[in-house]
Amino acid sequence: MSDALINGLAGAGGGIIAQLITYPLQTVNTRQQTDRDHKKGTKRKQDVGTLNQMIQVVKTEGWGRLYSGLAPSLFGTAASQGVYYYFYQVFRSKAEAAAIARFKKGHGDGTVGIFSSLLVAAFSGCVNVLLTNPIWVVVTRMQTHRKASKIPKPSLTLSVTPDEELQTSEIEPPPYGTTNAVQELFDEAGVRGFWKGVGPTLLMVSNPSIQFMIYETLLKKLKARRALTGKANSGVTALETFLLGAVAKLGATVMTYPLLVVKSRLQAKQVTGGDKNLHYKGTLDAIMKMIQYEGLYCFYRGMSTKITQSVLAAAVLFMVKEELVKGVRLLTTGNIVNKVRRPV
């Protein structure tokens, strides 16, 4: 198996596990981002505490709403991580080959620099966004969909005596699944609707770019320190990978969070009637209306929830991915050794 394929599959596996662990936080965070308030600088009730909002969702809509959109989200995570890590490894290999070629000509030290790493991550992210954006629009629709209240249904009792009361029952509203979200989105904006928010999402490519730049820089320094202390062969432990991934994601999330809020606003169901200030025609229109009617605070709504979710998910992803890559390479190396040792 090639390194690109190994990293792609390992990235998909790590992404799925991280998604399963942190999905309720992601659902609550998406709702916080798309919650709109025209009172500038005010702090809404939903922003008071993530745990309180989770409890509120469970009480009013049930446990299932915290996992609304989980199925397409898992598929999207596997697809996104697989695509990203595959193309990252492809572009990384080309960058490493170019660095070695420059070194042979007397330029550089033969390693991929920070700027080159940033470009590799950016190109990989762009490919990933263009291929998987439709999945995440559907996921956002499902996460922000509020479960409708039960509809009272009068009984068919023809007459009511003084000692009897009119019996009523409640009709459970139909479930809102992936098919419903896809149909609603198509009816609203056609095929183009599946690429809503692609503008800020492409700009958010800087998030994984910054994340991987920080991660690889810290990893390079850690390995260099190990080499100076004579422990170069000991490798990086799972805990160290976990911590490096957490720090890298924290830095990237703080820098790019406003773009994430704009993207969520665009991908959520648009208001077609009533207050036109809640309807966004595009990225620039959304930014201008958010500043005008809600103030700068809205760009950071739910940020604490996102930091918790992103850091935990990234740390788990990096740890699981690295362990899977090590396991696959160990199995592959073992099979090769066994074949060599097998008597003819």
Side-chain angles (χ1 to χ4, degrees):
M1 297 175 68
S2 66
D3 280 343
L5 182 58
I6 292 175
N7 278 271
L9 294 176
I16 289 176
I17 294 175
Q19 189 81 336
L20 286 171
I21 294 174
T22 64
Y23 195 79
L25 288 172
Q26 183 180 332
T27 298
V28 170
N29 181 238
T30 303
R31 291 192 175 199
Q32 291 172 337
Q33 292 169 352
T34 56
D35 185 35
R36 304 171 190 181
D37 185 4
H38 285 189
K39 296 180 181 179
K40 287 188 177 182
T42 58
K43 191 171 184 178
R44 292 185 62 89
K45 182 179 179 180
Q46 288 87 341
D47 296 329
V48 174
T50 302
L51 181 59
N52 289 336
Q53 188 168 358
M54 291 177 68
I55 294 174
Q56 182 182 6
V57 172
V58 172
K59 286 182 177 180
T60 58
E61 304 178 58
W63 282 98
R65 299 311 300 174
L66 290 177
Y67 291 90
S68 181
L70 179 61
S73 181
L74 287 176
F75 176 75
T77 298
S80 294
Q81 297 298 334
V83 169
Y84 183 84
Y85 279 111
Y86 178 82
F87 282 99
Y88 180 84
Q89 191 63 36
V90 170
F91 294 144
R92 178 79 183 184
S93 297
K94 293 183 180 296
E96 289 175 348
I100 293 174
R102 290 195 303 271
F103 178 71
K104 290 180 179 180
K105 294 179 180 180
H107 303 288
D109 59 358
T111 62
V112 179
I114 294 177
F115 182 72
S116 296
S117 296
L118 188 65
L119 289 179
V120 166
F123 289 147
S124 304
C126 287
V127 174
N128 176 42
V129 166
L130 294 175
L131 292 178
T132 63
N133 194 76
I135 302 173
W136 298 115
V137 178
V138 172
V139 171
T140 300
R141 288 297 178 100
M142 296 180 71
Q143 289 178 334
T144 55
H145 177 78
R146 260 67 172 182
K147 184 178 180 181
S149 301
K150 292 184 179 180
I151 306 171
K153 178 183 178 182
S155 68
L156 299 178
T157 304
L158 297 178
S159 61
V160 181
T161 65
D163 297 329
E164 295 176 336
E165 295 181 358
L166 182 64
Q167 300 295 320
T168 61
S169 60
E170 294 181 331
I171 303 174
E172 185 72 24
Y176 186 83
T178 305
T179 304
N180 302 100
V182 170
Q183 186 63 53
E184 179 186 76
L185 183 59
F186 181 79
D187 293 341
E188 179 183 302
V191 176
R192 293 180 59 185
F194 292 94
W195 274 269
K196 280 190 172 187
V198 72
T201 307
L202 283 173
L203 292 176
M204 280 184 61
V205 163
S206 58
N207 185 291
S209 299
I210 296 171
Q211 175 185 342
F212 273 88
M213 180 183 68
I214 296 174
Y215 175 77
E216 293 205 354
T217 301
L218 293 176
L219 184 62
K220 188 175 181 179
K221 289 183 177 181
L222 179 61
K223 289 182 177 179
R225 180 175 296 181
R226 289 280 175 82
L228 291 175
T229 57
K231 299 179 180 180
N233 296 327
S234 61
V236 181
T237 65
L239 178 60
E240 289 170 334
T241 304
F242 183 95
L243 294 175
L244 291 179
V247 172
K249 190 62 179 181
L250 176 61
T253 299
V254 171
M255 296 176 67
T256 61
Y257 189 77
L259 290 172
L260 182 60
V261 176
V262 175
K263 181 208 70 145
S264 296
R265 293 284 185 102
L266 291 171
Q267 292 181 345
K269 185 177 181 179
Q270 296 294 298
V271 178
T272 55
D275 194 348
K276 295 296 182 181
N277 296 325
L278 299 178
H279 178 76
Y280 305 134
K281 298 178 181 178
T283 302
L284 184 59
D285 183 56
I287 293 174
M288 296 304 295
K289 286 181 177 177
M290 289 169 68
I291 294 175
Q292 182 179 358
Y293 297 106
E294 300 177 71
L296 295 177
Y297 171 76
C298 69
F299 289 98
Y300 295 92
R301 183 168 290 150
M303 186 173 181
S304 60
T305 306
K306 184 59 182 177
I307 289 176
T308 302
Q309 184 269 328
S310 296
V311 170
L312 179 59
V316 172
L317 187 153
F318 276 112
M319 182 179 68
V320 174
K321 172 187 171 290
E322 293 298 330
E323 292 303 306
L324 288 175
V325 169
K326 290 179 183 178
V328 172
R329 286 176 176 168
L330 182 62
L331 290 174
T332 304
T333 304
N335 290 335
I336 294 175
V337 172
N338 290 333
K339 287 181 180 180
V340 173
R341 293 179 177 177
R342 186 178 302 169
V344 180

